Amino acid sequence: MSDHTWRTGFTRWIEQQARDNGVVDRDIPEALLWCWSTTARTTGLDPEDIVDIARCTGASLNDVVAAYQRDHHEWTADQAVFDQPDLADLDAHLDAVARGWPSP
């Protein structure tokens, strides 16, 4: 799979699980990864998606749910920073992202 800037923590987890479990990355279509990552952050994954991701990665259903929820919670927390009127928090967040570090 090619490296795209739209990758989320959940998408990277899917790719890593596939590699760790011997699934060839090209077996998971790029469009499907994008759909899963977008759905995970907007409307949430449905049970069929969770089963499909588990099948494609060799991960357990519980591991898929945990990874998806972890990424969603992190993303929600990041989004809350942007809702803050205090630009110092936003500035600190952007500085951390630019350095490739987690936000303070």
Side-chain angles (χ1 to χ4, degrees):
M1 287 180 213
S2 59
D3 184 32
H4 291 288
T5 56
W6 61 263
R7 291 293 199 266
T8 66
F10 183 56
T11 306
R12 288 188 296 276
W13 179 88
I14 290 171
E15 293 171 321
Q16 187 63 50
Q17 287 297 305
R19 281 190 297 275
D20 289 352
N21 292 318
V23 179
V24 179
D25 284 345
R26 69 181 178 282
D27 290 344
I28 304 174
E30 203 59 30
L32 190 53
L33 284 171
W34 184 86
C35 288
W36 284 335
S37 69
T38 302
T39 302
R41 287 195 170 173
T42 55
T43 59
L45 295 174
D46 63 33
E48 273 184 38
D49 290 328
I50 293 167
V51 168
D52 288 344
I53 294 166
R55 182 183 46 76
C56 287
T57 62
S60 73
L61 297 176
N62 288 337
D63 287 343
V64 173
V65 171
Y68 141 61
Q69 288 177 339
R70 182 176 50 251
D71 180 68
H72 182 74
H73 290 302
E74 289 172 6
W75 180 75
T76 301
D78 287 347
Q79 297 310 303
V81 170
F82 299 115
D83 292 337
Q84 306 246 348
D86 185 356
L87 293 181
D89 286 348
L90 176 58
D91 187 47
H93 173 74
L94 293 174
D95 287 345
V97 169
R99 290 188 302 269
W101 299 347
S103 299

